[in-house]
Amino acid sequence: MSKEEIIEAKAKALHDHISSRPVDTYADKPWGLVKSTNESADESRMMTFKDAEIEDSRQQTENIQPAPKTIVEFGGYVGASAITWDAILREFNNADSSVDANVYTFELSSVSAGIAQDPTRLCDLENTAHVFEGPAADPPRKVFEEGNLKKTGVDIAFFDHWE
């Protein structure tokens, strides 16, 4: 099995684990999904957005004033970081539904991109955490051309690529 096949197999196993829970388990509970994802990922030695990185990201984000509203992430993998970033945006924008806060995550692997879309749906975040498949330059260009991203409208760019 190639390295990519192993990574995708672990992603599928994580997806099966998360999907096996009752539908309402993660509804509007992104931190619950992040915790469950990381517990499962730890057991299978997967690389996900773990507690130390989450806390560091939260601290760095807290220093941005006004509170960030748009995050672009390159390397979405299974969607854990997109869910985390969305939850952080909600916290720093006081969960104000009138604030147009969005996370745009871009994933090269079609398998991982497909898997990453489910957590956003499970947490009812599909309108704010957007998953796109493709090389780093293609999806952002599409999102920009559709008018969802402004030229100067990105508050944080997060690069979470495989070394």
Side-chain angles (χ1 to χ4, degrees), residues 44-144:
S44 61
R45 301 182 63 204
M46 287 177 68
M47 292 177 50
T48 58
F49 204 42
K50 304 283 184 166
D51 292 339
E53 292 97 355
I54 291 170
E55 188 54 36
D56 185 49
S57 298
R58 179 185 274 128
Q59 287 175 1
Q60 294 298 320
T61 303
E62 190 173 32
N63 295 324
I64 300 172
Q65 295 299 321
K69 294 178 180 65
T70 305
I71 296 176
V72 173
E73 174 192 30
F74 298 95
Y77 192 33
V78 293
S81 51
I83 298 299
T84 302
W85 280 118
D86 193 280
I88 289 171
L89 285 180
R90 286 177 180 223
E91 284 179 18
F92 290 124
N93 286 289
N94 299 316
D96 184 350
S97 61
S98 68
V99 173
D100 189 23
N102 289 280
V103 176
Y104 299 95
T105 186
F106 307 103
E107 173 56 47
L108 183 58
S109 162
S110 62
V111 171
S112 293
I115 289 170
Q117 290 174 3
D118 276 353
T120 63
R121 193 174 67 262
L122 289 171
C123 291
D124 300 323
L125 301 177
E126 61 264 34
N127 293 325
T128 57
H130 314 276
V131 179
F132 297 91
E133 175 193 344
D138 295 344
R141 186 177 304 119
K142 179 182 178 203
V143 173
F144 174 74

